[in-house]
Amino acid sequence: MRKTLLAVAVLGATVVTPASASASEPAWGPCPAGAFPTPDLQCTTLKVPLDYRNPDGRKIDIAVSRLPSKHPEKRRGVLLTNPGGPGGEGLDYPQLLKLVKLPQDVLDSYDIIGFDPRGVGHSTPVTCDLTDEQLAIGNLPYANGPADVVKQAAVAKAEAKECTAASTASMLPYVTTANTARDMDRIRQALGEPAVSYLGASYGTYLGAVYTTMFPERSDRFVLDSNLGPGGYDIDAMRNFGRGMEDRFPDFAKFAAAHPEYGLGTTPARVTAKFHELAARLDKTPVDWVTGSAFRGLTFEGLYATNLTRLAEDWQALDQGRAPKPPGGSVSTSVQNLFAARFAVLCGDSAWPRSVAGYQLDVAVDRIRYPLIGAATANIAACAFWPSAPVEPKVRITGRGPANVLLVQNERDPGTPLAGARKLRAAFGDRARMVTVDQGGHGAYLFGPNRCGNTAVTEFLGTGSRPARDLACAAETT
């Protein structure tokens, strides 16, 4: 959940002039305390309908932040952002982008806008009141056989029941990607802007794709980094995690083999064998909190990073009988909120299969197809037991609208594999171009060293120029 030229086609380089301020212009003030200091950010709160079909009904809060351009004479407009999720907070994201060196030209050209999506963080939050044990299972419980799917089905059914019995259950059907896109348009209106640009990563690519499909005439320059397929986080995307790990793992196997100090194997084949050996050993005898399932998940998440040193150190510790540092401390309100918001979006966006036998078959297939983690990513989850169907049809991503979308994608991304990005690129048709970068990890723009990919995105955000055709960037090490 964690979380980056050839001949060009110019997409309108004229400056977008903000609409005149209205009486309801947001009142900006200090931001709430976050994970790291936000000295440059300003924050406000907007009221939006819980259910847009009933705009005069119940209202909820959306927390919004702004990193203002310090050069009004260069300012083009606003750049909405989303770091991914679903369930991830985005209020601090503009500050984070500045810390990872979002180019000064981009900082000058836009007010960078962050927000906590509906149901998340400082926006009106949702909860499921899950137990510590349920949260500890995580999102990817590995199934060694059909009986494990039945066992996980009982857990998933209980999670769905607790979500729909919690104090915020009435909100859950409306915490969806389409409604978050509508919230984004309310942010646009509140800022007095005729159109918005956008930079979204991971799940944020699907959110951006939905917004620019629903509101094409209000979309300026849209950058989608590390792309989900056009169906968002549906069952296909979950099973695609298995493919993503297969794409990325060879990079780690090569890295570990080149560093004999970790003792994980002297060739990539031996490192791969060590993975299966450790997983089997931990299935039988966990080390502290690390079971075989947790080890597979730890490895999957470690592959998101560009630097693979931490993952190698964790493997070394486990091989020596020592537990690595847990991914988090005690269960907190924010973790509860993340799981609840994630369930709401996944289960509210898509109708999921409900047959336990069907998931058993999927697990058996993906254990062979994606042997590293496929039997986890195909396993059953709470959406199979969600009591309500989605309140509206899924938004269909199409090529209708201006040619103003740029996809940037690592070739070996474990979380949003290239296969899904290609499907999104095809769905957009001539609206989009895609920059594919020969590197691994989750996050292409700014989070990797590839100058070709980074330059293409910065050029598009700054000038509106994008490659005349899809661009492939060769590997770079510095």
Side-chain angles (χ1 to χ4, degrees), residues 258-271:
H259 292 80
E261 65 271 22
Y262 296 118
L264 303 175
T266 56
T267 67
R270 289 180 178 177
V271 175

Side-chain angles (χ1 to χ4, degrees), residues 185-272:
D185 205 55
R186 288 296 180 100
I187 294 171
R188 177 198 63 78
Q189 293 177 49
L191 297 176
E193 298 288 338
V196 294
S197 293
Y198 180 79
L199 174 60
S202 192
Y203 163 75
T205 62
Y206 181 59
L207 175 60
V210 168
Y211 180 91
T212 197
T213 297
M214 294 175 67
F215 305 104
E217 72 285 357
R218 299 170 195 168
S219 304
D220 190 15
R221 299 168 182 170
F222 269 54
V223 174
L224 309 181
D225 178 358
S226 307
N227 296 270
L228 283 170
Y233 262 126
D234 57 9
I235 189 171
D236 292 332
M238 292 299 294
R239 295 180 71 180
N240 216 23
F241 283 149
R243 177 169 184 167
M245 188 162 174
E246 298 288 338
D247 289 346
R248 174 61 166 154
F249 186 83
D251 291 339
F252 175 72
K254 182 179 178 181
F255 170 84
H259 292 80
E261 65 271 22
Y262 296 118
L264 303 175
T266 56
T267 67
R270 289 180 178 177
V271 175
T272 303

Side-chain angles (χ1 to χ4, degrees), residues 165-453:
S167 59
T168 58
S170 62
M171 285 182 60
L172 294 177
Y174 309 103
V175 180
T176 64
T177 300
N179 278 332
T180 301
R182 295 180 178 106
D183 296 340
M184 288 169 57
D185 205 55
R186 288 296 180 100
I187 294 171
R188 177 198 63 78
Q189 293 177 49
L191 297 176
E193 298 288 338
V196 294
S197 293
Y198 180 79
L199 174 60
S202 192
Y203 163 75
T205 62
Y206 181 59
L207 175 60
V210 168
Y211 180 91
T212 197
T213 297
M214 294 175 67
F215 305 104
E217 72 285 357
R218 299 170 195 168
S219 304
D220 190 15
R221 299 168 182 170
F222 269 54
V223 174
L224 309 181
D225 178 358
S226 307
N227 296 270
L228 283 170
Y233 262 126
D234 57 9
I235 189 171
D236 292 332
M238 292 299 294
R239 295 180 71 180
N240 216 23
F241 283 149
R243 177 169 184 167
M245 188 162 174
E246 298 288 338
D247 289 346
R248 174 61 166 154
F249 186 83
D251 291 339
F252 175 72
K254 182 179 178 181
F255 170 84
H259 292 80
E261 65 271 22
Y262 296 118
L264 303 175
T266 56
T267 67
R270 289 180 178 177
V271 175
T272 303
K274 175 63 73 173
F275 171 85
H276 293 293
E277 175 198 327
L278 278 171
R281 187 196 311 172
L282 292 164
D283 276 336
K284 294 179 180 179
T285 309
V287 175
D288 196 3
W289 61 276
V290 185
T291 62
S293 182
F295 167 70
R296 293 176 177 94
L298 175 152
T299 300
F300 176 72
E301 293 180 10
L303 294 173
Y304 275 48
T306 302
N307 187 327
L308 298 171
T309 300
R310 170 65 186 273
L311 181 58
E313 292 172 346
D314 287 348
W315 273 39
Q316 182 184 49
L318 288 165
D319 195 35
Q320 296 172 354
R322 297 179 287 109
K325 184 179 178 181
S330 59
V331 175
S332 65
T333 301
S334 62
V335 174
Q336 286 277 3
N337 177 226
L338 186 151
F339 269 74
R342 178 182 173 84
F343 282 149
V345 173
L346 267 61
C347 307
D349 278 3
S350 303
W352 289 68
R354 294 182 175 269
S355 166
V356 175
Y359 286 96
Q360 289 174 318
L361 177 60
D362 289 347
V363 164
V365 169
D366 283 8
R367 180 182 293 106
I368 297 171
R369 185 167 59 164
Y370 306 131
L372 295 171
I373 204 171
T377 58
N379 206 352
I380 195 167
C383 293
F385 300 99
W386 214 245
S388 57
V391 296
E392 62 179 310
K394 184 180 292 188
V395 175
R396 179 171 175 263
I397 309 302
T398 72
R400 186 180 67 86
N404 62 350
V405 180
L406 183 67
L407 283 61
V408 59
Q409 178 72 32
N410 288 339
E411 287 187 7
R412 299 176 302 283
D413 186 322
T416 52
L418 179 60
R422 285 173 170 160
K423 291 180 180 179
L424 181 62
R425 169 68 181 86
F428 271 125
D430 281 343
R431 285 202 68 187
R433 297 288 183 268
M434 185 160 78
V435 177
T436 306
V437 182
D438 184 0
Q439 65 186 10
H442 190 55
Y445 182 52
L446 304 180
F447 290 90
N450 193 279
R451 289 167 293 180
C452 168

